[in-house]
Amino acid sequence: PAGGGRRSRACDRGVLAGSLGDLFGRPGSLAASRTASADMPANLDARSTPVVDGFDPLDPGGTSAFSTTVTVYDSLGAAHDVNVYFENTGPGTWTWHALVDGSEIDGGTPGTPVGGATGDLTFTTDGELDDEAPGTSSWDFVGATPGQTIAFDFGTSITGDGGTGLDGVTQFSEDSSTTSISQDGFASGEVAGIGVEADGTITGVFTNGQRRTLGQVAPGPFRSEHGLARSAHTLGGDTPEPGEPLIGGAASGRRGTVVSGALEGSNVDLGSEFVDLIQYQRGFQASSRIITTADEMYQEVVSLKR
């Protein structure tokens, strides 16, 4: 027996609030979220040489040693390709520049790159990230909230973060390459599918690739199931004897787990039921034969009297 159709409500961030309520009919949409940070681990080739005239925003590819691209999202959920260029400024020192096409910035000129963020990186002679000094970061994407800041993270530096300097950007004598790129923004999305875990957690999969906890089924077993009042269709009614239902999360305490996408099988033993059916059928046939025989006897008695 369970509480039936109960769940712990979930807030927009996918965190269960703990209060009980009816299960939803149809989950809503997920609002867009602007990008606030971007992680860009990579290796910068220590063999590269500085550009004589420095970095030129109008010729970023020709005045940088390496570049990569990350897709970010503004406050409206619109995607923008940000190109990040790495300029070698000397032994163990680099400057990075993040640019987008001018058509994506208020007041920008299509085809002309516009910078939105910059910063400096320094490395040890072992190729470890020693320190990072981020500069300004401000993006006025077309139609979106102006002044959007995006923190570009290149790893835990030794001096600045007290890290190893090896879990982000490194500087080894190998070809420059990006190991991974991630950012925390996304466009708006609708629920594309729902899954239910063994503990009753209901997870929504959205069209924008995000996953959010939408709620949790909360079963409620009774202290004594035998004390429930039997009802039709294998249902049990609440009575004072078994006490209050112990509502809580599935797979905790005495509560069972939830099996999703499965149809509950019959609790009837088909073999036994077929045997019983044959017995009833034979009994019916025997009873019919007795009635037929008795009728024939009565007819014979009537004939003798005549």
Side-chain angles (χ1 to χ4, degrees):
R6 307 293 289 179
R7 71 178 176 98
S8 296
R9 294 189 182 277
C11 68
D12 292 340
R13 292 182 178 271
V15 180
L16 296 174
S19 59
L20 293 173
D22 293 334
L23 288 170
F24 45 75
R26 177 179 174 82
S29 60
L30 184 64
S33 177
R34 74 185 70 181
T35 298
S37 63
D39 298 332
M40 308 186 68
N43 179 70
L44 302 178
D45 194 345
R47 299 168 297 184
S48 61
T49 57
V51 178
V52 177
D53 296 328
F55 182 75
D56 182 4
L58 299 180
D59 182 22
T63 56
S64 62
F66 176 65
S67 66
T68 187
T69 302
V70 57
T71 301
V72 302
Y73 296 87
D74 61 26
S75 59
L76 299 177
H80 304 275
D81 290 334
V82 176
N83 299 309
V84 182
Y85 297 89
F86 295 88
E87 173 198 3
N88 189 333
T89 56
T93 61
W94 294 71
T95 299
W96 58 270
H97 310 268
L99 294 80
V100 295
D101 188 82
S103 61
E104 303 185 50
I105 298 294
D106 282 333
T109 302
T112 301
V114 177
T118 186
D120 297 317
L121 304 173
T122 58
F123 297 88
T124 66
T125 54
D126 292 325
E128 304 159 338
L129 179 62
D130 183 51
D131 199 6
E132 54 179 326
T136 59
S137 177
S138 181
W139 305 84
D140 297 336
F141 294 116
V142 175
T145 302
Q148 178 176 343
T149 59
I150 300 176
F152 290 85
D153 188 5
F154 297 95
T156 53
S157 59
I158 297 175
T159 301
D161 303 321
T164 63
L166 294 172
D167 60 351
V169 175
T170 57
Q171 183 193 247
F172 297 121
S173 295
E174 300 176 357
D175 292 340
S176 297
S177 63
T178 302
T179 56
S180 66
I181 294 177
S182 63
Q183 55 85 41
D184 59 357
F186 50 84
S188 61
E190 300 290 336
V191 174
I194 292 178
V196 182
E197 306 298 330
D199 63 353
T201 302
I202 303 173
T203 303
V205 181
F206 293 80
T207 54
N208 55 8
Q210 299 296 307
R211 299 174 65 91
R212 291 290 185 275
T213 298
L214 304 177
Q216 183 181 30
V217 177
F222 290 88
R223 184 185 62 222
S224 174
E225 299 178 2
H226 300 289
L228 296 174
R230 296 188 64 82
S231 180
H233 304 294
T234 68
L235 299 178
D238 190 7
T239 65
E241 182 178 350
E244 294 295 324
L246 308 176
I247 299 176
S252 64
R254 294 176 52 244
R255 305 173 191 90
T257 58
V258 177
V259 179
S260 64
L263 179 64
E264 182 178 2
S266 174
N267 57 2
V268 176
D269 185 350
L270 291 180
S272 299
E273 294 301 321
F274 273 121
V275 171
D276 292 340
L277 179 61
I278 293 174
Q279 290 177 346
Y280 294 145
Q281 185 180 18
R282 293 296 174 82
F284 177 78
Q285 290 175 349
S287 298
S288 301
R289 182 65 59 87
I290 292 173
I291 295 175
T292 302
T293 303
D295 182 63
E296 291 176 352
M297 291 176 62
Y298 284 133
Q299 290 181 1
E300 187 66 27
V301 170
V302 172
S303 298
L304 291 174
K305 183 178 179 180
R306 292 176 180 176

